[in-house]
Amino acid sequence: MTRGRSWGQWAFEVKTGEFEARDLASLVEFVRRFPAYRPLVLCDDDRLTVAQRVGIPGMSWRRFLAGDQLT
């Protein structure tokens, strides 16, 4: 079902608990090989800075499930 807005093509990685920047290597490699996809990490609010440090957008999984748009 479409709500009139499209997010486009995204490659999601969901992280639960703690993770480090090196744990995002597979996501980085995927979007390098498939440049039509944009990366997005879904995680707890307090871990968003880990993704941002390596230049990957992050979003709280709670906001994502609530239907919020990526900003």
Side-chain angles (χ1 to χ4, degrees):
M1 179 166 77
T2 307
R3 295 184 182 185
R5 287 189 251 179
S6 174
W7 278 38
Q9 296 185 78
W10 290 83
F12 296 93
E13 184 148 348
V14 179
K15 294 294 188 185
T16 59
E18 293 188 21
F19 66 95
E20 300 297 325
R22 70 177 177 263
D23 298 323
L24 301 174
S26 60
L27 178 61
V28 171
E29 180 62 18
F30 179 87
V31 296
R32 186 189 69 77
R33 290 183 184 195
F34 302 95
Y37 289 85
R38 295 170 52 193
L40 178 65
V41 175
L42 301 174
C43 59
D44 289 323
D45 291 322
D46 61 343
R47 303 305 299 166
L48 290 172
T49 56
V50 175
Q52 293 166 349
R53 276 197 309 256
V54 293
I56 298 175
M59 181 179 207
S60 160
W61 61 267
R62 289 174 180 88
R63 285 186 50 220
F64 179 80
L65 291 176
D68 288 356
Q69 292 291 315
L70 181 64
T71 56

